[in-house]
Every structure is written in structure tokens, then in C-alpha cells.
Amino acid sequence: MIPTEDASARKREIEEKLKQEQETLSFIRENLEKSDQLTKGMVSILSSFESRLMQLENSIIPVHKQTENLQRLQENVDKTLSCMDHVISYYHVAKDTDRIIREGPTGRLDEYLACIAKIQKAVEYFQDNNPDSPELNTVKARFEKGKELLEAEFRSLLTRYSKPVPPILILDAISVDDELEVQEDVVLEHLPEAVLQDIICIAGWLVEYGRNQDFMNVYFQIRSNQLDRSIKGLKDHFRKNSASSGILYSPAVQTKRKDTPTKKAPKRPVYIPGYDHDLRVKHLSDALTEKHGAAAGKDDVLDIEIDSYIHCISAFVKLAQSEYALLAEIIPEHHQKKTFDSLIQEALDNLMLEGDNIVSAARRAIMRHDYSAVLTIFPILRHLKLNKSEFDSTLQGTAASTKNKLPTLITSMETIGAKALEEFADSIKNDPDKEYNMPKDGTVHELTSNAILFLQQLLDFHETAGAMLASQETSSSASSYTSEFNKRLLSTYICKVLGNLQLNLLSKSKVYEDSALSAIFLHNNYNYILKSLEKSELIQLVTVTQKKAESSYRELIEQQIQMYKSSWVKVTEHLTDRNMPVFQPGTKLKDKERQVIKDKFKGFNDGLEELCKIQKGWAIPDKEQRDFIRQSQKKVVSDAYRAFLQRCANISFTKNPEKYHKYRAEEVEEMIERLFDTSA
């Protein structure tokens, strides 16, 4: 059972909640009624607004359409006016640009090109819209005038700023310093940067708008002239300065010249130690110097000319490379090779012509039997071959006729050089035996000294000479010209020259009536040859094909010494025991026996005096050989004489012994000691 109080309390609570719910429901109903009223009012307002909006739209749309039409008309009017202004401007272009075109582009290229652009547009307009108008002819003429002035400016800038490269700068550019690990390239700046940019700009315009390639001809003509002048300037630099100062390269940078000969052909004979007299021979290069004044300066002139030509070859390569780099910035790519080919022709032709002249001079010298002139070709030929790859690389892309010029010159030099070498060898063999041309003192013959000097000078260019001989070979073994093959060829050639020289000397020695003088002559020449071979590297080349060459010459020298010694037999034979009377001490000699001893003394004295008188005028230039022969002969004669004097010491064969015993043994030795002394 629930208590009564709790039930009444619960009832009250429920009644209160019910009352609150009723009040809430009543509030909601009131609000719904108000909302319905507001909604009805809003609907009424919106309906009224929609009605008014429709009325407004019906009024505005026609006005908007009219306004839009007016705006379109306005735009059309503006465009028409703008087009009219634009068209009218074309009719005024000629007048507006007259002053600028007349004054030219100098100093204001950008403004001038902008002006030309206006004229070009006017030309295009009249061609498209009014091709029969007189204005078209006017602007066309103005455009052509503008183009003509641009071409003139192109020529003017190139002419004004293109200068020959100074010789000192060229020499710096082609020099190589062996002490520097990384070589610094000398930049040859042919044109100022600002000028170059203007020229590039003009060239670009002429190609794109000017439809003109004549400027390329102008370019190569001007630059070709400067290239040729640069090389000629270098040549003049050598002629003016080298002879007096000896400076053959830039004094600003002390460098060694690339691929140029480190050894020059000596201007005088090579003096072998022990030879104290002057072996007079002609300089081997006189053939190429006929046009150069007095003989005293021929050698220097020739050296300068050779150095000059070698440097001009290197200069051409360097300058041509520099010219191509410049040309590539100015000339369109598909015209570059052809323009470059034309640009280098004059300078290249002059170099090749000079090379041909050298070949022709050598050919004339050979015809005069002056074969030594070929030596002037060697440093040039070596330099050309060393630089051929760079030369070919520089001329890559040029015409075949251009690329073949250097190989043709090299072939000509090799051919004439090989011809000279072979004819020189034959001339050594066939040099005539002229009595008046033989040295009266039996010293070294001029033919020997010339031949050895020729071979020693040839040694400086042994690789070039070997390749030169190989170039004339047609055998299968010569198909690949290796260094070893060339070396053997040169060795064979040198041995041939030496063999021919030996045969000729043997023939010449027969000119002497005195066999002892013949022996001294052959001894001197063989000894000179051997010492020359040993002093230089010639002996190494000779032994490539003749292993026993050195010992062979020593045997020949020894043979001649023995031949010479035999000339003393007619003196020493008087000192032998032959016909010597046999006697006992204290025994008186018979008249016949006394006469035999007298004849022996007289024969010895007369023979000694005669030989000493004759042989004192003979010469053995090599001091070592001279002393050896003197000492050897002195011992033989003095020993025999002392023995003879000892045998005759106690023999009374004359009342005047001093008449026959004219010389003491020491005096005989002194007389022999003075042999071969032309100064005595």
C-alpha cells in the first residue's frame, strides 16, 4: 500500500506538469498563428515585387539593347579611326624617316634599324593593299637606300677596325713554353667588342631582311687582306729585326718555338778535336741565296728566311683558326665553310707559292750540281709534316683543292729532296780526280769535309730524311713507313755515301806520285771520317746496317800508317847488316870494305835529310795521330841508327869521321819530331 501523503504529492506533481504542457501548447499555437499571418504578408509583398520587377524588365531591356548597339558603333568608329591613323602613317613613313636614313646608321644602329623596320612594314602594306600606288615605289626606294647604307656601314666598320695582327702578338700566340704545364692561349682580338656586336647585328639583318649575300664577299675580301698583311708583317719583322738582334720570337715572352728546328745547319765546317787547321768548304746553302747581296751575309739571310717561312706556316694556322672563330659569329652557318675557304686563299696561295719557289730553287741548285742546297728544305719539310694534322683540321670543310695544297707541297719537297740526296751520293762517287785540286800536304780533301758536313747536317733531320727516302720507295716493304724502316733507309744511304767517298778517295790518292804521301792523304781522310762519325751520332746510324764500320775504318787507318812507314825502309835499309864487312878488332879494313861503310852512312844521311825535308811539309792535323806516327817512326829509326853506330864505333873507316857521322841519335830523333810541322 502506498501511503496517502505520497499519493497526493505525486498527483500534485502530475497536475503541475500537465498545466505547464498546456501553457506551452497554447504558446505554440499563438506563434503558429502569428507565423501564418507573417507568411501571408511576405507572399503578398513578393507577389507585388515580382509584378513590379517584370514591369521594370520590360522597360530596361530595350534600353540595354540600344546602349549595346551604341557601344558597338563607338568601337567600330574607334577602330576605323585607328586604322585610318595607321594607314595614314604609312603615307608619312618616307617623310618621317628621311633624315635618319639620309644620315646613316653610324653611331645609332638600333635607332636606324627601327627606322628600317618601319619602312619595311610600309612596303609590305602597300604591296598587299595598294600595289599600284606611287607611295610603294617611294618606300621601296627608301628601303633599298637604307639597306645600301647598312651594307656600306658593314664595309666601313670592317675596313676601319680590321688591322693586321702585330708580329709580336702572333709570335706569342704560336710560341710554346716547355716549362709551363698548361699553356695559356693568347687571344687574338680582331675587332673591338662593341664594333663586333654592331657587325653581327648588321649581318643578321642583311641575312633575314636584306636578302643579300654580297656582304659575305665584302667580309672575306677585307678579312683576307688583313690575314695576308698579318703574315707579311711577321715576315718583315724577321727581316728587319732578326739579323741585327737575333730575336726570332717575341721578346715579351721568352719561349721556345714549337716544332722549329733546335739545331741549325752550321755555317762553317765542324772542327774535329785535334785538327788545328782550317778546312775550307763552301756553305751548303749558298744555292738558295743567289738573290741576297754579298756572300758574307748569305748564311744569316738564309737562316732568317727559313725561320721566317716556318713561323709564317705556324702563324697561318693560328690566324686561320682565329679567323674562323670570328667568321662563325658573323656569317650564317651554311655559308661559313665557303666564306672561310675564300678568305684564306690569298694567304695560303702566297705561302704555297713561297714553298714552290724554295723547291724550284733547290731544283735549280741540283741542276748546277750543288746538292747541298737540299738541306734548306729539311727544317721546312719537318715543320710542315709536324703541323700537317693541325693544318688539315683547320682546313676541314674547305674545297678539296684547298686541302690538297699542303700535301702537294710536301710531296714536291720530298721528291726534290730525295733526288738531291741520291744525286749527291753519285756526285761523291764521280767527283773528278784533279791534280790541282789535291792538297799538296796530304791533308783532308775538301770533298771529304763537305761530305761529312753534309751528313752531319742531315743528322739534325734524320727522321725527315728517312721519311723523304721512304717516300720514293715502291716496294711492298715500304707500304707502311715505320720509324725503324726509315732509319734503316737513312743508314743505308749514309753507308752508300761513305762507300762512294772511300772509293773516290782511293782513286784520288793515285794522283800523288809519292806513295807515302798517298798513304798520309788516305790516313788523314779516313781518320777524319772516323773521328767525325764518333763525334756525332752518325756512327749509331751507320751501325744500323754496318755493324763493323768503326773497326773497318781503324783497319784502313792502320794499313795507311804501315804504308807510310814503308817509305822509311829506303833510309833504314842502309843501317842493316846487309853488305856489312866482317872484321876482327884491330884488323885494317880494305878500301872496298871502308867504302861500304861510307856508303851506308852517306845513304842514311842523304835519305834522312831528303825524307825530313819532304815530309816536314806534309800535314797530319790530328795531334794524337801525328804524335803517334812520329813516336813510332822515331823509335824504329833511332833504334836502328844507334845499333848501327854501335857496330861502327870501333871501326876506322875514314880519316874524317865527322863527314859521315853527321848526326847524333838525339839529332835524328829531333829531325823526325819536326815531321808534319808546316809551321817549322
Side-chain angles (χ1 to χ4, degrees), residues 385-486:
K385 295 181 78 171
L386 285 173
N387 286 272
K388 185 178 182 299
S389 59
E390 191 173 6
F391 213 102
D392 292 343
S393 176
T394 302
L395 300 185
Q396 188 176 4
T398 58
S401 58
T402 302
K403 288 186 284 191
N404 289 336
K405 287 180 179 179
L406 181 67
T408 301
L409 177 60
I410 289 175
T411 301
S412 297
M413 286 190 170
E414 286 185 328
T415 302
I416 196 66
K419 177 179 173 64
L421 290 177
E422 290 303 319
E423 292 199 14
F424 174 77
D426 293 339
S427 73
I428 294 297
K429 181 179 180 180
N430 301 320
D431 187 69
D433 305 329
K434 298 177 181 178
E435 185 175 350
Y436 66 85
N437 199 34
M438 296 294 289
K440 292 180 173 52
D441 57 0
T443 189
V444 179
H445 196 279
E446 182 179 15
L447 179 68
T448 303
S449 55
N450 275 337
I452 293 300
L453 178 58
F454 183 92
L455 295 179
Q456 286 173 330
Q457 291 176 307
L458 200 63
L459 185 63
D460 293 340
F461 307 97
H462 58 92
E463 292 182 2
T464 304
M468 183 182 285
L469 293 169
S471 69
Q472 306 305 305
E473 291 289 315
T474 55
S475 62
S476 58
S477 61
S479 58
S480 58
Y481 299 149
T482 63
S483 177
E484 189 61 31
F485 176 77
N486 296 348

Side-chain angles (χ1 to χ4, degrees), residues 18-33:
L18 180 62
K19 185 179 179 181
Q20 288 178 352
E21 290 294 334
Q22 288 175 344
E23 290 176 356
T24 300
L25 180 62
S26 177
F27 176 77
I28 290 172
R29 284 175 178 171
E30 289 177 0
N31 284 330
L32 283 173
E33 289 175 358

Side-chain angles (χ1 to χ4, degrees), residues 85-184:
D85 290 339
H86 185 65
V87 170
I88 291 171
S89 70
Y90 289 135
Y91 286 86
H92 290 87
V93 163
K95 180 180 178 182
D96 294 342
T97 59
D98 180 66
R99 180 182 61 83
I100 296 175
I101 296 299
R102 194 167 6 94
E103 292 176 357
T106 304
R108 51 175 178 182
L109 182 61
D110 291 341
E111 182 183 2
Y112 189 86
L113 289 177
C115 187
I116 290 288
K118 290 182 181 179
I119 298 173
Q120 187 176 8
K121 288 180 180 178
V123 170
E124 293 171 356
Y125 170 79
F126 287 119
Q127 284 177 335
D128 294 340
N129 297 282
N130 195 0
D132 297 326
S133 66
E135 285 78 8
L136 176 60
N137 294 331
T138 301
V139 291
K140 267 188 174 182
R142 189 58 49 83
F143 181 79
E144 291 300 321
K145 179 65 176 177
K147 184 172 73 170
E148 181 183 322
L149 290 177
L150 274 176
E151 292 171 356
E153 178 70 1
F154 183 87
R155 179 188 293 272
S156 175
L157 288 174
L158 266 181
T159 304
R160 192 181 322 137
Y161 291 99
S162 291
K163 305 294 181 186
V165 181
I168 299 300
L169 191 58
I170 296 176
L171 289 168
D172 284 345
I174 64 178
S175 296
V176 174
D177 192 340
D178 293 339
E179 296 179 359
L180 294 180
E181 294 183 3
V182 179
Q183 298 297 325
E184 294 183 5

